[in-house]
């Protein structure tokens, strides 16, 4: 069994926001889950994942979620599905907290190291679409 408080996950920063790894890849074959806190006005770079799908569960706040050319306001109590290969980003309109679950199509490697996370963030900020 794996049960964990949000604040007890492995913490790191990405895009200047706070991430907490709740369910690491090392414990599963194809899923990972993270708790994310986003400052008002902050956003993730527009990006896509060619090897996974994601589901976002909004716990607090309000944001603009862009998936492809579609834009949708999301807020506390909502969930959103991001398909494989769909370019997406989220912009916090007020302080935002959400959980996302990623599901890979094949068994995946263990979690990224701090160095790999920085390289990944740099790729996304520079406009690379895929991981």
């Amino acid at each position: 069994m794996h049960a964990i408080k949000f604040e007890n996950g492995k913490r790191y920063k990405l895009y200047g926001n706070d991430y907490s790894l709740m369910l690491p890849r090392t414990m599963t074959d194809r899923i990972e889950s993270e708790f994310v806190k986003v400052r008002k006005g902050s956003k993730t770079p527009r990006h896509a994942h060619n090897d996974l799908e994601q589901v976002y569960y909004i716990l607090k706040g309000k944001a603009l979620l862009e998936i492809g050319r579609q834009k949708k306001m999301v807020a506390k109590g909502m969930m959103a599905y991001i398909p494989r290969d769909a370019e997406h980003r989220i912009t916090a309109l007020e302080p935002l907290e959400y959980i996302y679950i990623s599901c890979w199509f094949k068994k995946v490697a263990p979690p990224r190291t701090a160095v790999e996370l920085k390289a990944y963030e740099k790729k996304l900020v520079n406009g690379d679409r895929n991981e």
Side-chain angles (χ1 to χ4, degrees), residues 50-68:
N50 62 4
D51 59 349
L52 63 90
E53 298 173 294
Q54 290 182 311
V55 177
Y56 289 7
Y57 293 95
I58 311 302
L59 304 174
K60 176 183 176 183
K62 186 167 50 171
L64 177 64
L65 179 62
E66 299 172 62
I67 301 175

Side-chain angles (χ1 to χ4, degrees), residues 38-82:
V38 183
R39 296 178 330 275
K40 179 181 178 179
S42 185
K43 59 186 162 190
T44 59
R46 195 178 303 277
H47 65 287
H49 307 281
N50 62 4
D51 59 349
L52 63 90
E53 298 173 294
Q54 290 182 311
V55 177
Y56 289 7
Y57 293 95
I58 311 302
L59 304 174
K60 176 183 176 183
K62 186 167 50 171
L64 177 64
L65 179 62
E66 299 172 62
I67 301 175
R69 293 183 176 175
Q70 298 178 2
K71 295 180 180 183
K72 174 105 179 168
M73 298 297 282
V74 293
K76 178 182 176 179
M78 295 179 71
M79 64 82 57
Y81 165 68
I82 295 99

Side-chain angles (χ1 to χ4, degrees), residues 4-94:
I4 186 170
K5 290 184 175 184
F6 296 158
E7 63 268 16
N8 292 338
K10 181 179 177 185
R11 294 181 181 171
Y12 65 95
K13 287 209 178 270
L14 190 60
Y15 323 119
N17 298 306
D18 298 314
Y19 286 69
S20 183
L21 181 61
M22 304 304 299
L23 179 64
R25 298 179 204 177
T26 52
M27 296 183 74
T28 73
D29 285 338
R30 292 181 174 81
I31 61 172
E32 179 175 82
S33 184
E34 305 211 24
F35 173 62
V36 185
K37 289 184 177 182
V38 183
R39 296 178 330 275
K40 179 181 178 179
S42 185
K43 59 186 162 190
T44 59
R46 195 178 303 277
H47 65 287
H49 307 281
N50 62 4
D51 59 349
L52 63 90
E53 298 173 294
Q54 290 182 311
V55 177
Y56 289 7
Y57 293 95
I58 311 302
L59 304 174
K60 176 183 176 183
K62 186 167 50 171
L64 177 64
L65 179 62
E66 299 172 62
I67 301 175
R69 293 183 176 175
Q70 298 178 2
K71 295 180 180 183
K72 174 105 179 168
M73 298 297 282
V74 293
K76 178 182 176 179
M78 295 179 71
M79 64 82 57
Y81 165 68
I82 295 99
R84 178 181 179 181
D85 285 324
E87 192 171 82
H88 61 283
R89 82 169 161 193
I90 193 165
T91 303
L93 302 175
E94 55 190 53

Side-chain angles (χ1 to χ4, degrees), residues 94-111:
E94 55 190 53
L96 179 69
E97 293 181 2
Y98 66 98
I99 291 176
Y100 74 77
I101 298 170
S102 298
C103 182
W104 281 265
F105 287 90
K106 60 183 180 183
K107 190 168 180 163
V108 296

